[in-house]
Structures are given as structure tokens and as C-alpha cells.
Amino acid sequence: MDETGAWNQSGTEGSGNEMADVDKNGESDRPTLRVDSAVKRFGGVIALDGVSLVVHPGEAVAVIGPNGAGKSTLLKLMAGTYRLTSGSVHLGTQRLDNLGAHLVTRRGIALAYQVPRPFSQLTVRENVMVAAQARPHESSAGTWVDAILDRCGLLSKSEVAAGDLRLLDLKRLELARALATSPEVLLLDEVAAGLVGRELHEIIELIRSLHRDGRSIVLVEHVEGVVASLVERVVVLDWGRVVAEGTPAEIEADPKIREIYLGAGVQAKRRLPAVENTQARNDAGHQERSHNEPLLALDAVSAGYGDLVALRAVDLVVEAAEVVAVLGANGAGKTTLAGTISGLLRPRAGRIRFAGVDITDLPVHKRARSGIVLSPEGRRVFSDLTVRENLSIAVSLRSGRRQLRARIDAVHSIFPVLSDLGHTMATALSGGQQQMLAIGRALMSDPQLLVCDEISLGLAPVMVDKLYEALEQVRRRGVAIVLIEQNVHRGLEFADRAYVLSRGAISYAGDPERLLDEAFLDSTYFGVQPSLPTAI
């Protein structure tokens, strides 16, 4: 085994006959994976809308697309984790969509997840042993597991508890657990997420070595280098549908794909100035601060999950009543930033100040009381409560009826449709109406700063227009907005200031207008040099 973790063909460190079926290259004996007209609905949300996909024996295919396109849903349907609303999945002559996930695994499909979740108190070997039980021949499980650990660069760490592994080894373990089931098709959901530099190179080499065996691979990935290095064909999803297909080079050169990732072109800005509301804020009990100090300031803030560093020394400023757009590709750290600002995630380094006060260690509920409120990605309304109950629950129990009524009236003035739907269960609302409810619920706290995470995700353009019109009313009332947006051009149209995140670091901060230059936008958003073609 070499230093990248790829299999050394000379057969060093524990290779044996048991590994022969891992290294076999009989592509003609492997089955074709076929997805036909797959539809998946979650309530009123259509995650996949008639997707068909064929993966030939030994082929490596990448599935790409913006947030909410349906990529991970497609993998989970193929793996049996989700059940189809309609359509079918076949592996060779076997129909799989009517089977449980454990039976799909035994038929030859394994899924490796973006966020590894091994049994943390079990050793590396024990984790792989559990996965190996899916193999039809269990008598040689110990030899098989040794071969898998060797293949994935984990043999020397076989007795280490999984909870003590670093991120790269956790990724290796996730692949090892999938490989231990002896899959014909390996599904990889952003397994390179969080890796940089040499770590990224090592995981690419490991995946490439697995593909050389003749095994089929379906890869969901947002790191352009991983896609270009590993696959022969790219399928692009948007709004749950296949919108393009071709080689990595063809997809990179397709202007339609660039528009899908960045959104439609920017229209002329048509905005009114923010309302002067200093006295109103003081009357509402909000803290005064020095006029020389911004409303929100992040100073060299880093944050992450376990060993994954998702934000790296981020500096960010938001002035009162200002709209700040935070842009970036999937996996850039945008949602982590939203969670760090709102208090859902504690920073590992750096300081955060709000309204002149250091809030770095302030918990989420106290940040909400101070005036920072998050409207999260995915809406997350209480489906078994009515619209009015969803709004009312966001107000302190100490508030009187008059204050509750005043705040509900204020939300209704921004979203009149919520007034008509007050007694409707949230689960009966359309996706756009649920997003209105999510923003309205955030506004019930009377915030100074509203953090909006991907509010346009999965919504029709006409509904997105209505949401942005509502946000304009919010801004005019003196509320500052941090707008985390996948649609780059829509975010630029609305923002006073723009930040671009690339792999957790700020690659641009300043005037949104400068990002209208396509070459400059490519260099900041995709992390490529301006002279290079647009990256995925």
C-alpha cells in the first residue's frame, strides 16, 4: 500500500486470496444500475421529478447540482434508505426499490455518507466487522476485514476507537465500511467534504483505486477537482430533474450549467433607503451602541464539526439596516456561518461582537433575546401546529396579548397570505408559504439582525420574487439582513455588501458590483484563476 492509501499491486501488508474479489476486474460480470422515472415527494415538496439514470458496469458517474437539486435524495433512493413515490430501481435483473436498505446492501449497493457516523466506541476493526456481516460468505470475515483495512490505509489503526480518529481516517473508515459489504456499485455522497490539500489528494487516490477494480461508482461531489479526476460522465440535477449530461469538460463549458449554479443575470437595483428607526429601536428596549461600531463584527472566527474545519479565520461586518450577501458553492461554509452567528455553533477561535457587546460565548437563546434571529435552511416549521401557533410560539411567554397581537399584525403586513391561513396546519402549506411562515416566525422576535439561510431553495421564481419583496420591507423597517444565498445574482441584486466563501475562507469582501465580472466571480466563487474555464 502506498502513502496515498491506494492498493499496492505487489500485494504488501496483509494482501491475500480473500482480497481477490475486491481487486477483480471482470466488468462483463457486473450488473447495470438503472433508475427509471424516479419520483420522490416529501409532503408537498417534490425532491425528484422523473429522474432516469443508467450506470454501466465499471462506470464512474458524478451527479452534481446546486443545493436542493435532489442529489443526496437520489443516492438514498438507490441505496434503499428512502422509498420511491413512483418509478423503479434495478441492479441487473433485480428490482430494488421495493426492498429495505439492508436487503439492497446485500444485493450489491453500498452508500458512503458525507458525514461519517461510525460506532464511536467500537474499534476501527469492529466497525468494519459489523459492515462485513452483509456479505453472503461470513466464514472468512476476519481475513476479509484485514484486507479491507489494508486497502483503505487503516490496518495499523485497526484497534483504535473510531471516536478517536481524525477526519481523513474517518473518511477512510466510511469507505471501508461500504467496501466491506462487497458492493457492485459504490455510492459516494460528498466523501471529500472538509478535506484540503494532501488529504484531498489521498482520498481521490483511494477512490480511484477502488474504481480500477471494475466497480461502478456514483459520486455526488462539489469539489471540482474530485469530479474531473474520477469520472467519465457527469449528470446535472436541478429542481429534481436531469437538466444536462456529458463529460466533465463538456459540463464545465456549458453556460446553462453556470447559470444553474449562479442564478439568472442581475437586474437593475430598485430599492428605497432604509427607514430611520433609531428612536423606535430604543423604545423597543434594544441596546444603543457607538455609531463608530458595526452592528455585527466577526474577527478571525473559525468553526467546525469534529475534525472538520468549516470556517477558517473569517472576518465579517454588518452595519445597521444593511443587507450583506454571503455567497459560495455548496460546502463552502455558508450554513456553518449562519449557525455561528446565531449561536447554534460555538466558534473555535476568534471573537464575535453584536451591538457593542462581545457575544462569542453567548448561547443561542440569549443571542435571540439580544436581537439575532435565524431563519434556517429547510424552513423547519412545526408541521403539527397552525400558522398562528407557529408565529405565537416565537414570542416570550412574558409578552402580553397586546404585544403578541402587534407583532402578528406586523408579520401579516409583510406576508398577508399568512393572515388568511392562520388556522391552517403548517403541513398543509405550499413550500413557498412555509418559507414565508419561517421568516415570519423569525420576525416575531423583533430582531435587529435577521440571518436568512437559503430562503429561495427549491422555490419557483414567482415565489422567490415575493420573498425578496418581503425582505425589502423588512430592510426598510431597519432590520439588518445576512442573506446566505445559492442564487448568486439574486443575492447580488439585493445586497449592499457581499462576501464570498470558498472552502471556509473569505475569498472576496466588498462591493457586489465587482462580482458582476464573470472572470472575477469565477476566481472568487469557484476558487479558480480568472484565465481558467468555469469550474463545476
Side-chain angles (χ1 to χ4, degrees):
M1 180 177 57
D2 63 23
E3 64 181 359
T4 67
W7 181 251
N8 186 325
Q9 297 300 322
S10 64
T12 62
E13 197 180 352
S15 61
N17 293 334
E18 183 64 25
M19 202 65 201
D21 57 346
V22 176
D23 291 325
K24 68 182 179 181
N25 211 351
E27 293 184 18
S28 61
D29 296 331
R30 294 183 182 272
T32 296
L33 174 64
R34 182 181 299 275
V35 179
D36 291 313
S37 303
V39 174
K40 179 60 180 177
R41 293 188 177 92
F42 297 95
V45 177
I46 302 177
L48 288 180
D49 189 6
V51 170
S52 295
L53 174 69
V54 175
V55 181
H56 298 289
E59 187 180 20
V61 177
V63 179
I64 69 169
N67 282 348
K71 307 179 297 296
S72 293
T73 299
L74 177 61
L75 292 192
K76 291 175 181 177
L77 287 171
M78 291 190 287
T81 305
Y82 289 164
R83 289 295 184 95
L84 282 167
T85 303
S86 63
S88 63
V89 178
H90 286 82
L91 184 62
T93 60
Q94 302 178 94
R95 182 164 182 174
L96 304 181
D97 55 275
N98 56 354
L99 301 178
H102 66 292
L103 295 176
V104 172
T105 300
R106 290 179 180 176
R107 298 300 191 277
I109 295 182
L111 172 59
Y113 290 90
Q114 174 185 358
V115 180
R117 291 187 177 92
F119 299 102
S120 59
Q121 295 183 349
L122 298 185
T123 67
V124 169
R125 180 188 299 277
E126 289 167 340
N127 269 275
V128 179
M129 284 287 289
V130 171
Q133 302 308 307
R135 298 186 69 235
H137 306 296
E138 299 177 5
S139 60
S140 57
T143 306
W144 171 260
V145 167
D146 281 346
I148 295 294
L149 293 173
D150 188 11
R151 182 67 180 273
C152 294
L154 292 171
L155 191 57
S156 63
K157 300 178 181 179
S158 62
E159 301 308 318
V160 175
D164 295 332
L165 295 180
R166 306 289 294 178
L167 181 61
L168 176 60
D169 286 331
L170 283 170
K171 299 282 189 176
R172 291 179 180 276
L173 179 56
E174 185 70 8
L175 286 171
R177 293 201 301 168
L179 192 60
T181 67
S182 191
E184 300 287 354
V185 181
L186 189 57
L187 310 177
L188 306 177
D189 193 0
E190 296 191 53
V191 294
L195 301 178
V196 294
R198 185 175 182 82
E199 294 177 335
L200 187 60
H201 171 74
E202 290 186 15
I203 209 70
I204 289 174
E205 288 302 314
L206 176 54
I207 296 171
R208 182 180 288 121
S209 80
L210 300 179
H211 182 227
R212 289 195 198 105
D213 297 343
R215 181 178 291 102
S216 304
I217 290 179
V218 181
L219 176 78
V220 167
E221 188 53 70
H222 299 297
V223 180
E224 185 273 338
V226 177
V227 173
S229 298
L230 293 174
V231 308
E232 302 93 12
R233 180 160 59 98
V234 178
V235 175
V236 184
L237 292 183
D238 190 33
W239 290 57
R241 298 180 178 180
V242 175
V243 295
E245 185 173 343
T247 66
E250 290 170 342
I251 295 301
E252 287 179 12
D254 189 340
K256 180 173 68 174
I257 305 308
R258 189 178 192 280
E259 182 176 326
I260 287 172
Y261 272 86
L262 302 182
V266 180
Q267 303 172 1
K269 293 184 180 180
R270 299 183 300 275
R271 297 195 320 189
L272 298 173
V275 174
E276 288 293 334
N277 67 342
T278 303
Q279 186 59 47
R281 286 291 171 194
N282 290 342
D283 291 345
H286 292 279
Q287 288 181 304
E288 293 189 59
R289 69 182 192 286
S290 169
H291 292 293
N292 296 323
E293 188 168 5
L295 177 65
L296 176 73
L298 275 65
D299 181 16
V301 169
S302 296
Y305 314 88
D307 288 330
L308 192 158
V309 180
L311 290 182
R312 304 172 187 273
V314 167
D315 294 328
L316 181 142
V317 170
V318 181
E319 301 289 350
E322 182 183 36
V323 177
V324 171
V326 179
L327 314 173
N330 289 3
K334 305 187 299 298
T335 294
T336 301
L337 177 64
T340 304
I341 292 173
S342 63
L344 293 173
L345 190 65
R346 294 289 182 91
R348 297 179 175 180
R351 309 302 296 175
I352 303 175
R353 292 183 64 81
F354 180 72
V357 177
D358 189 324
I359 63 167
T360 307
D361 298 320
L362 204 64
V364 60
H365 66 285
K366 291 186 177 180
R367 292 196 196 191
R369 289 176 185 171
S370 71
I372 301 175
V373 179
L374 171 66
S375 180
E377 179 183 354
R379 300 145 199 169
R380 301 185 188 179
V381 297
F382 296 101
S383 58
D384 54 350
L385 299 182
T386 67
V387 168
R388 183 181 176 88
E389 288 167 343
N390 267 274
L391 295 176
S392 301
I393 203 170
V395 178
S396 169
L397 294 175
R398 294 190 297 267
S399 300
R401 290 186 179 181
R402 181 177 299 178
Q403 187 178 40
L404 175 62
R405 179 72 260 174
R407 291 191 183 179
I408 289 180
D409 287 345
V411 170
H412 287 169
S413 70
I414 297 173
F415 299 112
V417 68
L418 297 183
S419 177
D420 299 330
L421 297 171
H423 297 292
T424 303
M425 302 299 289
T427 189
L429 303 181
S430 69
Q433 291 168 343
Q434 288 186 7
Q435 187 62 72
M436 291 179 179
L437 178 57
I439 297 173
R441 184 180 59 190
L443 294 175
M444 289 292 291
S445 299
D446 192 25
Q448 290 181 276
L449 175 66
L450 174 64
V451 182
C452 294
D453 191 4
E454 304 284 14
I455 63 167
S456 64
L457 193 61
L459 299 180
V462 64
M463 181 57 68
V464 175
D465 289 341
K466 292 180 180 179
L467 289 175
Y468 272 87
E469 290 171 2
L471 287 184
E472 177 63 27
Q473 294 185 55
V474 174
R475 188 193 71 90
R476 291 190 61 217
R477 297 183 183 203
V479 179
I481 300 173
V482 173
L483 182 68
I484 294 172
E485 181 58 87
Q486 182 76 20
N487 188 324
V488 168
H489 292 299
R490 201 61 191 262
L492 294 176
E493 177 187 9
F494 189 60
D496 301 303
R497 188 202 314 263
Y499 290 84
V500 179
L501 277 172
S502 179
R503 299 189 184 182
I506 297 291
S507 58
Y508 176 78
D511 188 348
E513 299 289 338
R514 192 178 178 195
L515 293 172
L516 301 183
D517 179 89
E518 291 191 2
F520 183 75
L521 177 59
D522 287 347
S523 68
T524 57
Y525 189 90
F526 294 111
V528 301
Q529 297 300 318
S531 59
L532 296 179
T534 302
I536 292 171

